[in-house]
């Protein structure tokens, strides 16, 4: 899943990005309000982690601007401001959660997963499609009860497909979700990944729609 981290502290941004990537997220880093305001396709992100104290403005103004534009992407505020007034103001501005620094990474990850569960309307972390069960938190995938041996990118692709089962996704959509903006993106990467995944879960689970992309069948 693709996350935007808005954090003006470069060292903290680097360390947190590394931990999130190790947890199988694609992460981009914005270090200012101006940079984040101009970020492309924020509504297609899985989540935004937002600091309030930015060098060129307020994270709250950024948050309000996104919500005014009807951006529904889950937003988690991560800030050193910990008063109850700050929490009330952040949540009233449209944040989905509010976390005070310093925070253990395990708690931050748990809160992100809770956001995703609420968005999907489920208390369980597991996604199900027919005989396939994928748990992104435990990082396990099973088919008909048997464990699937998937590479890291195959797991991320299956996670994306199961989150958006029944929807048509172009190769560009898939690349956007799986890779950071700076990463090298080549359309044939998607073809190769889809081919490998089909061999493991069955070709009939992923339909190719010529000129449009792929659809994962429920």
């Amino acid at each position: 899943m693709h996350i935007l981290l808005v954090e003006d502290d470069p060292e903290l941004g680097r360390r947190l990005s590394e931990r999130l990537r190790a947890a199988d997220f694609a992460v981009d880093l914005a270090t200012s309000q101006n940079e984040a305001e101009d970020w492309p396709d924020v509504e297609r992100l899985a989540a935004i982690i937002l600091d309030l104290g930015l060098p060129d403005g307020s994270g709250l103004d950024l948050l309000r601007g996104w919500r005014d534009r009807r951006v529904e992407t889950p937003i988690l505020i991560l800030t050193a401001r910990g008063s109850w007034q700050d929490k009330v103001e952040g949540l009233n501005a449209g944040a989905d959660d509010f976390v005070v620094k310093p925070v253990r990474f395990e708690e931050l990850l748990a809160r992100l997963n809770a956001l995703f569960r609420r968005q999907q309307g489920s208390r369980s972390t597991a996604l199900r499609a027919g005989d396939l069960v994928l748990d992104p938190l435990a990082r396990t995938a099973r088919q008909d009860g048997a464990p699937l041996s998937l590479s890291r990118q195959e797991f991320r692709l299956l996670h994306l497909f199961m989150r958006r089962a029944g929807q048509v996704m172009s190769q560009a959509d898939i690349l956007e979700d799986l890779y950071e903006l700076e990463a090298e993106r080549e359309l044939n990467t998607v073809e190769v990944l889809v081919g490998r995944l089909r061999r493991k879960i069955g070709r009939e689970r992923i339909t190719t729609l010529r000129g449009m992309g792929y659809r994962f069948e429920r």
Side-chain angles (χ1 to χ4, degrees):
M1 289 188 283
H2 201 158
I3 288 178
L4 174 63
L5 172 61
V6 185
E7 170 59 60
D8 71 320
D9 182 332
E11 179 59 23
L12 176 58
R14 182 191 64 78
R15 287 189 282 109
L16 188 51
S17 295
E18 288 178 353
R19 296 293 300 274
L20 288 166
R21 289 183 182 117
D24 286 337
F25 291 100
V27 184
D28 285 310
L29 177 64
T31 58
S32 68
Q33 179 182 359
N34 185 60
E35 186 180 7
E37 275 179 336
D38 295 333
W39 206 266
D41 299 326
V42 289
E43 59 279 334
R44 291 169 58 183
L45 295 166
I48 298 169
I49 300 175
L50 175 64
D51 188 12
L52 295 184
L54 300 174
D56 57 346
S58 167
L60 282 176
D61 291 338
L62 190 55
L63 172 57
R64 293 188 185 102
W66 279 326
R67 294 313 190 210
D68 287 344
R69 287 161 42 199
R70 301 191 182 281
V71 173
E72 297 183 359
T73 303
I75 297 176
L76 182 151
I77 289 175
L78 178 62
T79 180
R81 303 177 187 177
S83 72
W84 68 266
Q85 294 96 333
D86 289 320
K87 294 178 182 179
V88 168
E89 191 173 11
L91 294 170
N92 283 341
D96 296 277
D97 201 354
F98 193 109
V99 180
V100 179
K101 301 174 185 176
V103 61
R104 291 188 65 88
F105 178 76
E106 291 78 8
E107 179 185 349
L108 180 63
L109 187 59
R111 286 177 178 268
L112 278 174
N113 280 297
L115 288 187
F116 302 143
R117 290 197 301 273
R118 289 202 296 271
Q119 190 180 37
Q120 295 159 5
S122 171
R123 289 186 177 273
S124 171
T125 61
L127 300 173
R128 301 174 187 274
D131 60 353
L132 284 168
V133 180
L134 181 146
D135 190 329
L137 190 56
R139 298 192 206 177
T140 59
R142 293 180 173 272
Q143 185 169 30
D144 200 21
L148 280 169
S149 178
L150 301 174
S151 70
R152 182 173 177 176
Q153 287 299 86
E154 289 166 358
F155 184 91
R156 290 173 68 174
L157 178 60
L158 180 58
H159 187 196
L160 172 62
F161 274 142
M162 292 182 71
R163 283 183 6 243
R164 298 178 60 179
Q167 301 178 29
V168 178
M169 287 184 292
S170 69
Q171 292 188 356
D173 290 334
I174 294 170
L175 285 171
E176 177 71 25
D177 193 279
L178 295 186
Y179 298 95
E180 293 88 353
L181 288 179
E182 296 83 2
E184 184 177 358
R185 299 177 180 178
E186 295 182 3
L187 293 180
N188 66 349
T189 301
V190 175
E191 295 176 8
V192 172
L193 265 179
V194 169
R196 286 180 3 208
L197 189 58
R198 276 176 166 152
R199 287 193 289 273
K200 294 184 178 182
I201 67 172
R203 296 190 59 83
E204 71 283 354
R205 300 307 297 263
I206 305 170
T207 300
T208 300
L209 297 143
R210 190 174 298 277
M212 298 174 65
Y214 302 98
R215 183 179 63 226
F216 182 81
E217 306 298 343
R218 290 186 174 92

